[in-house]
Amino acid sequence: MRVSLAQFLAAVAALVVLIGLVLAACTPSHPQSTFDASGPVAGMERNVFYWIFWAAVFVFVTVGGVLVYTFVRFRNGEGIPRQVHGNRRLEIAWTLAPAVVLAVVAVPMLLTLFRVSSPPAGEVAVNVKVVAHQWWWEVQYPDLDIVTANELHIPVGRVVDVTLTSNDVIHSFWVPKLGGKIDVIPTRTTSIWLKADKSGTYFGQCAEFCGISHGNMRFRVIAKPQAEFDAWAEAQRGPAAQVTGEAERGAQLFVAKGCLACHTIRGTLAMGKIGPDLTHVGGRTTIAAGLLDNTPEDLARWLRDPPEVKPGANMPNLKLSGEEVSALVAYLQALK
Amino acid sequence: MATIVQALRRPTSYTGWWSWVTTVDHKRIGILYGATAIIFLLLGGLEALIMRIQLARPDQTVVSPEVFNQLFTMHGTTMIFLAIMPLNAALFNFLVPLMIGAGDVAFPRLNAFSYWAFLGGGIILNLSWLLGGAPNAGWFGYANLTGTAFNPGHGIDWWVLGLQVLGIASLASAFNFIVTIINMRAPGMTLMRMPVFAWMTLVTSFIMIFAFPVITVALVELMFDRFLGTNFFVPSAGGDPLLWQHLFWIFGHPEVYILVLPPMGIISEVLPTFSRKPLFGYPVVVFSGIAIGFMGFGVWSHHMFTVGLGPVANSVFAITTMAIAIPTGVKIFNWIATMWGGSLNTKTALLFAVGFIFTFMMGGISGVMHSMASSDYQQQDTYFVVAHIHYVLFGGSLLALFAGAYYWFPKITGRLLHEGLGRLHFWLTIVALNVTFFPMHFLGLDGMPRRIYTYDPSMGWDLWNMVATIGAFMLAVSVLVFVFNLVTSLRRGERAGNDPWDGRTLEWTVPSPPPAHNFDTIPVVRSRDAFWEEKHRRAIAPVAGGSGRMDPGEEGGYRPGHDPRHSTIHMPSPSYLPVVVALGIVLAAYGLVYHLALAAVGGAIAVAGLYGWYMEPASEPEDTGQ
Ligand SMILES: [Cu+2]
Ligand SMILES: [Cu+2]
């Protein structure tokens, strides 16, 4: 029995070591770490987590300790012990004790619940509308007349109000470092507010199972100083760039190959609504909802066979020749 | 021709494989449930292993995303409906009549039907792998992803039909156990003298009859949407996908208690026996179980904190959810108090029971963390939840079921499970369980969503995914050790005798394995822990009057073996009609997908079977023949 007890304690020790390791693992190099809160919403939620976390550790260590102690102390006893059937006082005490602990942690939880539920009055600087599609995100700025995809640009330190709806099934919008998630539901509108404390790129990902490429439905939030944001918005508002050379051949192919049926490029014939707006696709950092970098090589890979890159993608393999692909890549890259 | 005549005659044999098909003996049905559930448990485990291989490293292509989605759907559905629920049912069946001093359940043929319908539901779900693909929308099957627009294949059809058939099986067995426990207790076995396991069976059965109709309605609506083109959940036509979530979780959360209350009952039996002390605060443990049953119906929206119900609704559901921690905590304290001051007999069953308290407590605590709505916005639908449910269902339900297996295997088979292998099984399980599931907390907090078939190397999730995968393989080894122990002990295990653990409840008064009729004479119960009191009190204070004793033998113990009187005990006779009805229902389910004619045939078989069932006298054919 002694051996088993040692093993038992070893297992407990292993757990403690594991907990230590997680603290080590929570470094900022983890792009979706909820510990590394970079905005007030995520910060408040993390603080609630710490409350309940320490309460949990306290309860677990206390009760677990008593359990282990009881087991060790009374193991392999001999004879018939005293037959105790209960103890009213004790039982009332340990009914009340958890109630008290719960009441204590409930306070910050409830306060935060109401605080994160709607943006601070009068502080909303930017309104964003997100429409989720299987498996990418359409991003609109109704006040700024901008439509883009898979990248939310926001000004640092300003409150952004995001309203969301879905074009097909239920998705969930989640940028862990900026705040918890909100589901995106067809025919309904939900909302969430975000604020980034510092410039940078924040990773997000769909958090509600939404079909075959659920794991491939990622996005980025890019926070930058107000001036840079304004410049970005200004550029986005304009029509697509004029192109020449190989890119011009790409522009023709965009029409000839039927891309225009699904994509919009403002200032051209293309006004499709099924896929992302490509007017300024060349300026995005990633394509295909965060799956690929927006490099000529990756773009070519995407155009050659989208469902191969992203299973189930609603952009078909258009059987383009190598030469057509490079012309289209040149065109799309030029659409800054 | 001869075989048909053979089949049409009422079955009479009590041996041979056919007798297992026609049996209505609760003990044999319990064994059927248990054996089938273990097979499904292995299948569900295999599905988990494949997923863990896929997720061990980033960007792997071991399985396609479509297959991955089928795997997690079937893993969840299998473990919940085809492994843990029927493992619980196995123990209800085998033990409850013995514990309450009854000869069988109230409706033995209905009991057989429950098993066969359960098997049919399991087959419908699992054959889908071979019939064009398994269901792929998760065990929770959120609308509108389950609609034909997004899910044209038959996978979801099998899921809906399989669950409906399983629901029928569960409801039938729930009614059966309620009637059995209310009506068939031995004289003197008042409700408050009943073993806690029987109590939890009763509570669980009530939860089932209230929770299953809700999922049945939801599934019927989904069936209508899929087969008849209605729009209950089709948003483009005005349907509401959130309706599904409400209905599903009004069932789904009570379902959690359907899965864990019986294991809590097991723990409440094992701890007193192996502490040689009565359960501390029996009434409180019982009432907290009842309270959990009630409260379980008032918390469903904690699965929906992020759908945008608003802070008021979320506060209410956060608080009701937190409140469940109170009766749960009370149980844990009472269990520890049961051991306190006891003479612990540290057999494998006790080790698993203590392990259960430990890991279940972790699952319970992470559950309270989830109830904190404002921090749950971050954890919802992440691996943190995956960790939580596995601490509750593996660390909770399964560990308790293992405890129950080591405790009652001797009663069921007459032989003890091997202690050495049992200890190996225990330590492997405890370590592997934590290596597998603990890192999932980190992954969730590190932003890894559930149900993604792969992830990018830049996310920093490699390490803990690899650790979890290694743990999963260790768990597989531990389960194999258990299966090996079962198989070898069945044939070569040490003989158990009637009462190997100095048991407290009536099942230990009868031989191991118990005779078909259970009790030679129906025992008369004069206290809680009746058997233990009889054994240990008698020496101190002889009971006045002397009448109404629990059939004391010459030596004052309980006479093993058969009593000549048993031939006068009325036993329900075997019947093939339960199988026929279940078969009809399964055929009808296949017919709904393939051809309505088949559905009609299946329906006709089921109705004919029910008619025959109604006409069939309950007694032995010989009694009625001439
Ligand atoms: Cu998704
Ligand atoms: Cu729940």
Side-chain angles (χ1 to χ4, degrees), chain A residues 171 206 208-210 214 217:
Chain A
H171 304 269
C206 176
E208 182 63 82
F209 178 62
C210 57
H214 165 57
M217 192 167 161

Side-chain angles (χ1 to χ4, degrees), chain A residues 11 75 89 140 154 156 168 211 268 282 291 306 308:
Chain A
R75 74 191 200 280
R89 282 220 198 116
Q140 309 169 0
I154 61 170
V156 172
D168 36 53
T268 74
L291 261 198
E308 195 262 332

Side-chain angles (χ1 to χ4, degrees), chain B residues 175-198:
Chain B
F175 282 113
N176 207 343
F177 279 97
I178 290 173
V179 176
T180 304
I181 292 172
I182 304 260
N183 286 341
M184 298 186 53
R185 280 167 289 134
M189 173 72 81
T190 60
L191 283 177
M192 291 309 282
R193 286 179 186 168
M194 222 166 47
V196 177
F197 183 75

Side-chain angles (χ1 to χ4, degrees), chain B residues 528-599:
Chain B
R528 212 174 278 157
D529 290 335
F531 184 39
W532 205 85
E533 294 287 328
E534 292 278 332
K535 280 185 291 188
H536 295 272
R537 271 277 166 75
R538 178 164 302 144
I540 313 160
V543 189
S547 66
R549 285 198 168 163
M550 299 184 332
D551 186 23
E554 288 90 331
E555 343 80 48
Y558 290 85
R559 193 148 14 132
H562 294 258
D563 186 292
R565 282 168 294 171
H566 99 264
S567 54
T568 64
I569 295 175
H570 163 77
M571 289 305 298
S573 50
S575 169
Y576 54 78
L577 292 170
V579 192
V580 171
V581 178
L583 182 75
I585 290 176
V586 172
L587 283 181
Y590 277 96
L592 284 179
V593 172
Y594 288 130
H595 202 290
L596 284 183
L598 181 58

Side-chain angles (χ1 to χ4, degrees), chain A residues 70-115:
Chain A
T70 308
F71 183 82
V72 172
R73 170 152 169 212
F74 296 104
R75 74 191 200 280
N76 301 337
E78 293 294 329
I80 309 256
R82 199 158 69 84
Q83 302 293 295
V84 183
H85 290 269
N87 180 320
R88 170 118 7 117
R89 282 220 198 116
L90 264 180
E91 286 166 69
I92 291 175
W94 64 50
T95 310
L96 292 180
V100 171
V101 174
L102 290 172
V104 170
V105 287
V107 174
M109 182 272 283
L110 291 175
L111 289 177
T112 304
L113 196 56
F114 282 85
R115 246 181 245 146

Side-chain angles (χ1 to χ4, degrees), chain A residues 30 34 76 85 91 181 183 216, chain B residues 281 284 344 380 445-446 453:
Chain A
H30 293 240
T34 57
N76 301 337
H85 290 269
E91 286 166 69
K181 53 191 80 62
D183 292 355
N216 294 326
Chain B
V284 176
L344 301 188
Q380 208 256 356
L445 296 171
D446 207 4
Y453 73 98

Side-chain angles (χ1 to χ4, degrees), chain B residues 82-138:
Chain B
L82 306 179
I84 297 181
M85 278 182 78
L87 282 172
N88 288 341
L91 293 180
F92 295 170
N93 269 285
F94 199 96
L95 293 169
V96 167
L98 290 169
M99 282 183 159
I100 64 172
D104 204 309
V105 294
F107 308 116
R109 286 176 299 178
L110 187 64
N111 202 23
F113 165 77
S114 294
Y115 168 74
W116 294 108
F118 147 67
L119 181 65
I123 289 174
I124 292 175
L125 280 168
N126 279 285
L127 269 192
S128 63
W129 285 111
L130 310 175
L131 300 176
N136 59 0

